[in-house]
């Protein structure tokens, strides 16, 4: 017990030393300020985007309700399932509306039509990184900057030789340095979280529910675990080279590879492995005058049906690409963290898949409803007489809830947690082995 | 006389220090290994870039054919071609619209459903500019971060400066040595890139295009020089080489990645463009106004006309025809009013987008990487410059298209699709038209006025590159002055 207390005391001592050194270093101050500034700017942009998405969602629902009220015969009755914008998309934006956000079902009068409320115009999109991407970029960078010269830098200064000469094993020294770096990293992380909440909470019309707070907590915890993995990586590099300048170069290249290249490389590989054939409707937009023709009354035309089939095929391929991407992401800490954050925020591809499945289920329910009503009122399928009165829409299927429960999200995040913890373990073991063999002599 | 004897001596010392720096770099395993990696990346990037460009050529050709086939009397789509040297710098052409929509009196851009977009937006370009900014930039920093700090750490700097060598001369010699190492490295990389591109079928086919190659090389050297000065300044400002390296990288990363992103956010805040939903709402209001202006066809009006006393059968037919004509004129006026309002709203929206983009490129140009990209884009006529030229060509074409369509519509009015309804009252039919659509009207597409994309001359391209080039030179100057000050002010021991 006394020995354990002594070891704990040593670890705390070394951790305090590392914390003190890190907090006054220029790179820590610089990256922390940069992180805060970008978090504030990005949160502001995302919050505004969320408000615009909410307006689009409300407008889509209102339009559908109005269309149902206005229907005079059964062919006109169409239903829509609309995915509400995720309040947690500020934390991890995920795929956004790339997989569609509305399913318009016509029952027996056509196949379900998947669209996105958001329109794309070249140059009109502001691609601000969300919280999770900023964590990968800046917390990841900070983690490496804090840890790359803990071993080799102290060796160059002559301090390491003195530390190892003390009655403390190398493992204890390593754990102490790690603890100091982790505590240093937690400070800017919490400041970043506070910055996002400072923008998000006052401007959010509905307060976050208890479940959403739990999800935010998961994302923040995942950020800390991700930062921890990169600190271990930095310690490994530091213990593997002699000069701190070499350690920095290696750390920087790894940061570029993990934070910038790997998310894009995995998507690029997924696109190459599951290519989407070029669509025949590449020139389908007629610009602003083409918007006039959008609407459920157009879905029955043969042209639109062919377009719809091509779009469905492209969407199916996109899901396949997403599945390949999810598999490849497990092999890097950045990919695992990003996937975890998106799953916790309900912006992952699986939530879109579930949403579209509910849309198809709604289509089946509408078909059954149409069959029943047309059995009772066969003459009102495509014809209307004012003397018949309003259309009987009793029993019309209601749009089901589209949100994913917390339990389902927690289950899905299991493998990503496992991957992050594995990375921590692997790098921790590597750094311990490298440090155990390290020549600590000053010259 | 003393000045004349001093100048050759100073030049000799600069040459000596430069030679020493070059030789030191060439024998440095770190540099040779890094250069080898960069050259391999050059070859791989060239293959990828050429493959992308050729795919874009094929897609553009297929789309052009499709656009010619689907041209109608409502709109004509003009497809963006791929410029010849876009494998050197494509300026994110994948993010630009693939076509413009020419309608009578208006040019519009496509509006896509976002679910039709690919999962990954190819915002990391794969071209020569990408290699220069990221790989050669890192190489320049690795080469220069310890040119001052390492001699200081080892004590060599004190010995050199004690030999009556000024700090300015030492700095100049180190800079010259770094430049003379990086210059051939960049040239070698560009040669390998061009060779691989040539083997895959992309090459400079005219003297002008060869001149553009040279311009790209010179601009690459200017960028490398700026990054080298960053490294030298950091080396002079910090005592430890590791700190100098960290500082140089952070400054480079801030100027290359953070500053352009900051410029994008600032431009969005300063020149905010109302959302597309807002535009849609305004168009919805215009639509409501147009629907309210559509004349109503009342059966009682028709009956009133038919019931007028003293009118013969022919008189009734003429009265009905006048009534019909009045209805159709009001219909046409309402439709034209709606189209005018929509055009105004859309033009306002597009103008604001353009103003925001212009502000973003003006704010971002203080980054050496952005200045370099803008200069190369202008010199090669690719990316946004290519897009702007294309839009100008479309604007030149639009009046000819409008005139042609106006004539054809007047000849083929009866074949148009009249959206509306026909009311039958007492055997008389009166039509009310909500919209007239000419999309499905068949006509001989060979008689359409031909579209010719205006390609500016190479000289005009170079002229447009001058402002960005001047900014890049000024950045070099400022960084050089700062580095010189850091060398003069720093400690030797």
């Amino acid at each position: 017990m006394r020995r354990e207390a002594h070891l704990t005391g040593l670890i705390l001592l070394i951790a305090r030393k590392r914390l003190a050194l890190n907090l006054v270093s220029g790179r820590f101050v610089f990256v922390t300020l940069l992180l805060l500034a970008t978090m504030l700017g990005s949160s502001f942009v995302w919050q505004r985007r969320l408000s615009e998405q909410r307006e689009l969602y409300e407008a889509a629902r209102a339009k559908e309700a109005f269309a149902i009220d206005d229907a005079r015969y059964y062919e006109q009755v169409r239903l829509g399932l609309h995915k509400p914008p995720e309040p947690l998309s500020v934390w991890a934006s995920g795929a956004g509306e790339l997989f569609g956000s509305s399913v318009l079902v016509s029952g027996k009068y056509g196949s379900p039509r998947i669209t996105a409320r958001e329109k794309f115009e070249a140059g009109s999109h502001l691609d601000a990184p969300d919280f999770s991407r900023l964590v990968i970029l800046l917390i990841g960078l900070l983690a490496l900057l804090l840890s790359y010269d803990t071993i080799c830098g102290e060796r160059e200064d002559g301090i390491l030789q003195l530390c190892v000469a003390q009655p403390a094993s190398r493992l204890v020294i390593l754990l102490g340095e790690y603890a100091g770096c982790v505590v240093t990293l937690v400070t800017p992380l919490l400041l970043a979280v506070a910055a996002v909440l400072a923008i998000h909470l006052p401007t959010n019309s509905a307060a976050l529910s208890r479940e959403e707070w739990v999800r935010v907590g998961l994302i923040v915890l995942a950020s800390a675990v991700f930062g921890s993995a990169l600190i271990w990586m930095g310690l490994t590099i530091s213990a593997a080279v002699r000069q701190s300048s070499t350690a920095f170069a290696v750390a920087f290249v790894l940061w570029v590879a993990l934070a910038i290249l790997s998310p894009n490389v995995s998507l690029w590989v997924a696109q190459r492995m599951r290519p989407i054939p070029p669509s025949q409707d590449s020139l389908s937009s007629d610009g602003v005058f083409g918007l006039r023709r959008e609407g459920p009354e157009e879905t029955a035309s043969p042209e639109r049906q062919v377009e719809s089939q091509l779009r469905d095929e492209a969407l199916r391929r996109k899901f396949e690409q997403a599945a390949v991407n999810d598999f490849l992401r497990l092999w890097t800490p950045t990919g695992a963290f990003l996937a975890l954050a998106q799953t916790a925020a309900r912006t992952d591809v699986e939530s879109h898949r579930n949403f579209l499945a509910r849309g198809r289920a709604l289509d089946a329910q509408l078909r059954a409803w149409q069959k029943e009503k047309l059995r009772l009122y066969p003459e009102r399928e495509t014809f209307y007489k004012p003397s018949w009165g309003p259309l009987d829409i009793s029993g019309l299927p209601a749009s089901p809830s589209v949100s994913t429960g917390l339990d389902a999200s927690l289950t899905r995040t299991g493998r990503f947690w496992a991957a992050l913890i594995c990375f921590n373990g692997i790098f921790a073991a590597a750094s311990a082995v490298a440090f155990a063999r390290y020549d600590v002599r000053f010259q | 006389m003393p000045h004349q004897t001093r100048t050759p001596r100073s030049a000799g010392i600069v040459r000596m220090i430069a030679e020493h720096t070059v030789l030191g770099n060439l024998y440095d395993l770190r540099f040779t290994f890094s250069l080898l990696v960069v050259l391999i990346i050059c070859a791989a990037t060239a293959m990828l870039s050429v493959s992308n460009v050729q795919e874009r050529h094929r897609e553009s050709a297929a789309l052009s054919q499709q656009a010619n086939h689907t041209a109608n009397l409502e709109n004509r789509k003009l497809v963006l071609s791929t410029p010849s040297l876009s494998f050197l710098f494509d300026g994110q052409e994948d993010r630009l619209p693939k076509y413009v929509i020419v309608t009578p009196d208006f040019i519009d851009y496509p509006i896509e459903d976002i679910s039709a977009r690919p999962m990954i937006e190819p915002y990391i370009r794969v071209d020569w500019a990408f290699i220069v900014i990221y790989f050669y930039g890192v190489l320049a920093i690795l080469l220069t971060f310890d040119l001052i700090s390492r001699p200081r750490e080892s004590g060599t700097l004190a010995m050199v400066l004690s030999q009556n060598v000024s700090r300015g001369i030492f700095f100049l010699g180190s800079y010259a040595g770094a430049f003379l190492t990086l210059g051939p490295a960049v040239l070698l990389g560009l040669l390998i890139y061009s060779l691989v591109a040539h083997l895959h079928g992309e090459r400079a086919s005219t003297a002008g295009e060869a001149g553009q190659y040279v311009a790209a090389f010179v601009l690459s050297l200017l960028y490398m020089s700026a990054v080298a000065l960053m490294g030298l300044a950091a080396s002079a400002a910090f005592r430890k080489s590791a700190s100098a390296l960290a500082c140089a990288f952070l400054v480079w990363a801030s100027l290359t990645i953070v500053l352009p992103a900051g410029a994008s956010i600032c431009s969005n805040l300063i020149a905010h463009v109302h959302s597309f939903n807002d535009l849609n709402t305004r168009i919805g209001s215009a639509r409501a106004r147009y629907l309210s202006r559509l004349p109503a066809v009342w059966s009682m009006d028709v009956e009133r006309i038919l019931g007028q006393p003293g009118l013969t059968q022919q008189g009734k037919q003429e009265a009905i025809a006048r009534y019909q004509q009045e209805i159709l004129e009001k219909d046409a006026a309402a439709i034209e009013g709606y189209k005018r309002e929509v055009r105004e709203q859309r033009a306002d929206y597009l103008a604001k987008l353009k103003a925001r983009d212009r502000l973003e490129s003006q704010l971002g140009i203080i980054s050496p990487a952005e200045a370099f990209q803008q200069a190369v884009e202008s010199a090669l006529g690719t990316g946004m410059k290519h897009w702007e030229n294309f839009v100008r060509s479309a604007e030149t074409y639009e009046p000819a298209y409008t005139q042609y369509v106006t004539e054809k519509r007047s000849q083929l009015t009866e074949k148009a699709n009249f959206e509306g309804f026909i009311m039958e009252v007492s055997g008389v039919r009166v039509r009310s038209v909500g919209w007239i659509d000419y999309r499905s009207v068949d006509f001989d597409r060979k008689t359409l006025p031909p579209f010719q994309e205006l390609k500016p001359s190479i000289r005009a391209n170079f002229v447009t590159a001058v402002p960005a080039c001047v900014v890049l030179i000024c950045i070099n100057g400022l960084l050089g002055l700062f580095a010189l000050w850091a060398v003069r002010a720093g400690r030797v021991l």
Side-chain angles (χ1 to χ4, degrees):
Chain A
M1 284 270 298
R2 205 186 302 172
R3 187 165 172 274
E4 281 160 8
H6 173 66
L7 285 173
T8 311
L10 276 172
I11 292 172
L12 283 174
L13 190 67
I14 297 168
R16 259 209 313 268
K17 180 243 347 171
R18 178 51 51 194
L19 178 67
L21 281 172
N22 283 338
L23 285 179
V24 300
S25 69
R27 53 195 149 164
F28 171 77
V29 172
F30 177 76
V31 177
T32 303
L33 288 174
L34 189 64
L35 177 68
L36 274 176
T38 46
M39 276 295 178
L40 284 168
S42 143
S43 302
F44 185 73
V45 168
W46 274 103
Q47 189 54 46
R48 196 154 63 183
R49 202 162 161 188
L50 190 59
S51 305
E52 287 168 5
Q53 286 174 349
R54 278 209 188 100
E55 283 173 16
L56 283 171
Y57 169 68
E58 296 299 338
R61 289 186 61 191
K63 187 178 171 186
E64 181 199 316
F66 183 75
I68 290 173
D69 284 342
D70 212 33
R72 292 289 173 261
Y73 45 85
Y74 287 103
E75 199 200 32
Q76 284 182 323
V77 175
R78 310 289 164 103
L79 287 180
L81 186 62
H82 305 283
K83 195 170 191 293
E86 282 297 339
L88 300 182
S89 58
V90 174
W91 301 88
S93 57
E97 296 193 19
L98 280 177
F99 292 91
S101 56
S102 295
V103 181
L104 305 172
V105 298
S106 322
K108 61 177 271 197
Y109 301 110
S111 48
R113 188 171 160 223
I114 298 160
T115 63
R117 293 186 295 270
E118 217 174 331
K119 300 296 176 197
F120 176 83
E121 281 206 88
S124 70
H125 253 56
L126 179 65
D127 286 333
D130 53 34
F131 173 84
S132 55
R133 286 192 201 274
L134 282 173
V135 161
I136 288 172
L137 283 172
L138 294 173
I139 294 285
L141 178 67
L142 187 61
L144 288 171
L145 283 178
L146 292 175
S147 56
Y148 82 91
D149 65 348
T150 44
I151 310 290
C152 53
E154 291 200 339
R155 184 200 67 80
E156 284 173 342
D157 292 339
I159 299 171
L160 189 64
Q161 204 170 353
L162 299 172
C163 282
V164 170
Q166 303 305 313
S169 70
R170 292 192 180 205
L171 186 60
V172 164
I173 295 172
L174 193 66
L175 284 172
E177 298 285 3
Y178 165 75
C181 290
V182 162
V183 172
T184 319
L185 195 67
V186 162
T187 313
L189 179 62
L190 291 177
L191 285 173
V193 170
V196 173
L197 288 173
I199 299 284
H200 189 52
L201 284 180
T203 52
N204 218 3
S205 55
L208 291 177
S209 65
R210 195 180 73 88
E211 186 188 305
E212 281 162 355
W213 276 112
V214 170
R215 289 175 184 275
V216 169
L218 281 174
I219 294 172
V220 173
L221 182 62
S223 308
V225 175
F226 166 73
S228 161
L230 258 65
I231 286 172
W232 279 123
M233 189 190 293
L235 285 169
T236 309
I237 295 166
S238 193
V241 300
R242 304 281 295 163
Q243 289 185 331
S244 51
S245 53
T246 311
F248 180 85
V250 172
F252 186 80
V253 167
L254 276 174
W255 174 76
V256 168
L258 284 175
I260 297 174
L261 291 180
S262 80
N264 299 295
V265 164
S266 64
L267 275 169
W268 183 82
V269 167
Q271 281 188 324
R272 287 289 181 273
M273 285 175 66
R274 298 281 185 273
I276 297 177
S279 170
Q280 289 174 27
D281 65 345
S282 301
L283 295 177
S284 59
S285 171
D286 282 346
V288 70
F289 288 111
L291 296 176
R292 195 189 68 85
R293 294 192 302 276
E294 281 187 4
E297 63 275 8
E298 288 286 329
T299 57
S301 68
E303 256 176 20
R304 280 292 201 181
Q305 282 186 351
V306 167
E307 278 175 21
S308 174
Q309 277 164 8
L310 287 169
R311 262 203 298 270
D312 288 350
E313 174 61 22
L315 194 63
R316 192 183 64 78
R317 292 287 188 114
K318 236 200 266 187
F319 274 118
E320 286 175 9
Q321 286 178 359
V324 171
N325 181 48
D326 275 348
F327 172 74
L328 292 173
R329 282 203 292 192
L330 278 176
W331 300 98
T332 62
T334 46
F337 164 69
L338 202 59
L340 204 159
Q342 287 171 359
T343 307
R346 290 183 301 212
T347 54
D348 58 329
V349 174
E350 197 55 39
S351 65
H352 285 92
R353 217 190 293 266
N354 292 339
F355 166 71
L356 295 181
R358 288 193 183 120
R360 280 187 270 275
L362 183 65
D363 186 54
Q365 288 171 8
L366 182 62
R367 274 174 202 262
W369 179 85
Q370 284 167 341
K371 192 175 171 186
E372 179 57 31
K373 290 299 177 190
L374 289 174
R375 189 181 62 80
L376 294 171
Y377 312 102
E379 69 286 357
R380 286 195 83 163
E381 185 172 7
T382 57
F383 191 61
Y384 163 67
K385 265 191 187 172
S387 56
W388 288 345
L391 197 64
D392 176 16
I393 57 169
S394 59
L396 188 66
S399 301
S401 160
V402 295
S403 65
T404 312
L406 184 61
D407 291 339
S409 293
L410 282 174
T411 312
R412 287 212 300 271
T413 55
R415 58 189 176 140
F416 303 122
W417 281 114
L420 274 180
I421 291 165
C422 272
F423 283 121
N424 271 270
I426 290 168
F427 290 127
S431 60
V433 166
F435 188 43
R437 298 153 52 104
Y438 197 68
D439 183 356
V440 302
R441 284 174 295 182
F442 177 47
Q443 288 296 351
Chain B
M1 291 301 278
H3 176 70
Q4 284 172 345
T5 53
R6 197 168 62 232
T7 312
R9 183 173 172 267
S10 304
I13 294 170
V14 167
R15 190 167 61 92
M16 203 160 60
I17 296 169
E19 269 173 17
H20 171 78
T21 307
V22 170
L23 285 171
N25 288 332
L26 289 178
Y27 282 108
D28 186 353
L29 196 62
R30 197 177 53 193
F31 170 71
T32 44
F33 176 73
S34 306
L35 181 61
L36 192 64
V37 167
V38 171
L39 293 177
I40 293 170
I41 289 170
C42 282
T45 307
M47 282 196 316
L48 274 172
S49 179
V50 165
S51 150
N52 279 347
V53 165
Q54 286 173 346
E55 197 177 305
R56 227 183 288 137
H57 273 309
R58 281 191 292 272
E59 192 185 16
S60 173
L63 283 180
S64 292
Q65 210 173 359
Q66 193 185 344
N68 288 337
H69 188 64
T70 56
N72 55 63
L73 297 179
E74 285 288 344
N75 60 59
R76 183 178 183 186
K77 287 157 193 176
L78 303 175
V79 178
L80 187 68
S81 63
T82 308
S84 49
L85 292 180
S86 57
F87 64 93
L88 275 179
F89 180 76
D90 73 358
Q92 296 184 324
E93 289 220 5
D94 282 339
R95 301 192 83 190
L96 294 171
K98 291 190 171 62
Y99 58 97
V100 295
I101 303 155
V102 180
T103 62
D105 299 320
F106 190 58
I107 291 179
D108 201 358
Y109 302 150
I111 299 167
E112 275 187 295
D113 193 290
I114 206 166
S115 61
R117 299 295 299 169
M119 273 182 66
I120 175 171
E121 298 289 353
Y123 58 85
I124 288 190
R125 293 187 308 281
V126 183
D127 54 20
W128 171 249
F130 169 72
I131 294 172
V132 168
I133 291 169
Y134 291 97
F135 293 98
Y136 275 107
V138 169
L139 186 66
I141 289 176
L142 286 177
L143 212 62
T144 54
F145 80 93
D146 60 356
L147 279 184
I148 312 284
S149 57
R150 198 168 291 280
R152 184 194 289 123
E153 280 172 345
S154 62
T156 315
L157 183 64
M159 281 197 281
V160 170
L161 294 179
S162 70
Q163 300 300 312
N164 204 17
V165 172
S166 75
R167 293 185 186 210
I169 296 291
F170 183 79
F171 163 73
L172 206 58
S174 302
Y175 170 71
F179 193 82
L180 288 171
T181 317
L182 287 168
V186 170
L187 181 63
L188 190 58
L190 185 57
L191 285 174
I192 289 175
Y193 193 97
S194 314
L195 180 65
V196 172
H198 179 84
L199 290 172
H200 285 80
E202 296 289 333
R203 58 185 73 88
S205 47
T206 62
E209 284 179 0
Q212 286 175 311
Y213 254 97
V214 172
F217 172 64
V218 169
L219 289 166
S220 305
L221 284 182
L222 276 175
Y223 173 74
M224 297 303 298
S225 164
V227 179
L229 286 167
M230 260 185 243
L232 272 171
S235 189
F238 288 86
R239 294 175 63 73
K240 283 175 73 171
S241 300
S243 306
L245 180 61
C247 172
F249 266 125
L250 283 175
V251 169
W252 172 82
S254 300
L255 288 176
T256 306
I257 300 168
V258 175
L259 202 143
S264 178
I265 292 176
C266 286
S267 65
N268 196 50
L269 292 173
I270 297 169
H272 178 60
V273 179
H274 52 82
S275 69
F276 185 81
N277 183 42
D278 198 42
L279 171 69
N280 226 6
T281 307
R282 289 165 199 239
I283 290 172
S285 304
R287 183 173 163 78
R289 279 191 289 278
Y290 130 74
L291 287 172
S292 69
R293 284 198 286 263
L294 283 176
V297 174
W298 297 105
S299 57
M300 63 182 78
D301 284 343
V302 176
E303 280 168 4
R304 184 178 47 77
I305 292 170
L306 291 175
Q308 276 179 10
L311 269 186
T312 60
Q313 195 60 27
Q314 192 181 346
K316 284 179 187 173
Q317 280 176 358
E318 282 169 8
I320 290 291
R322 278 196 299 275
Y323 177 67
Q324 174 74 91
Q325 183 63 24
E326 200 182 297
I327 293 289
L328 288 177
E329 278 170 8
K330 284 181 182 169
D331 284 335
I335 293 167
E336 197 43 51
Y338 169 70
K339 283 184 177 177
R340 193 173 46 247
E341 276 197 66
V342 169
R343 281 197 294 263
E344 278 167 13
Q345 294 290 347
R346 181 69 171 154
D348 177 57
Y349 177 77
L350 291 174
K352 285 188 172 137
L353 276 182
K354 209 169 159 184
R356 191 192 67 188
D357 291 344
R358 203 168 35 241
L359 180 64
E360 188 183 329
S361 59
Q362 283 166 358
L363 289 176
I365 205 169
I366 50 175
S367 155
E370 272 299 307
F372 166 65
Q373 283 171 41
Q374 287 183 29
V376 169
E377 196 174 67
S378 302
L380 300 182
T382 55
M384 278 307 294
K385 289 286 172 262
H386 176 227
W387 170 251
E388 283 164 12
N389 291 332
F390 178 74
V391 170
R392 266 197 290 275
S393 312
E395 284 166 358
T396 311
Y397 173 74
E398 180 259 306
Y401 174 76
T402 303
Q403 191 184 355
Y404 175 84
V405 155
T406 310
E407 281 168 19
K408 278 290 179 191
R409 280 185 185 181
S410 61
Q411 292 164 15
L412 300 169
T413 308
E414 287 310 310
K415 293 191 180 170
N417 178 26
F418 290 89
E419 291 176 18
F421 64 91
I422 297 175
M423 179 178 284
E424 189 170 316
V425 178
S426 305
V428 169
R429 287 183 166 193
V430 179
R431 168 184 270 184
S432 177
V433 174
W435 194 262
I436 307 173
D437 195 330
Y438 290 90
R439 273 183 308 155
S440 49
V441 172
D442 197 18
F443 67 103
D444 185 5
R445 286 177 173 81
K446 292 196 186 91
T447 59
L448 268 169
F451 169 66
Q452 187 66 36
E453 189 178 333
L454 305 166
K455 295 222 162 85
S457 64
I458 310 280
R459 188 193 168 117
N461 282 340
F462 285 168
V463 165
T464 52
V466 164
C469 199
V470 165
V471 169
L472 201 48
I473 291 168
C474 289
I475 290 172
N476 269 273
L478 284 169
L479 284 169
L481 285 172
F482 179 72
L484 184 60
W485 171 81
V487 168
R488 283 176 180 268
R491 289 179 65 165
V492 173
L493 292 168

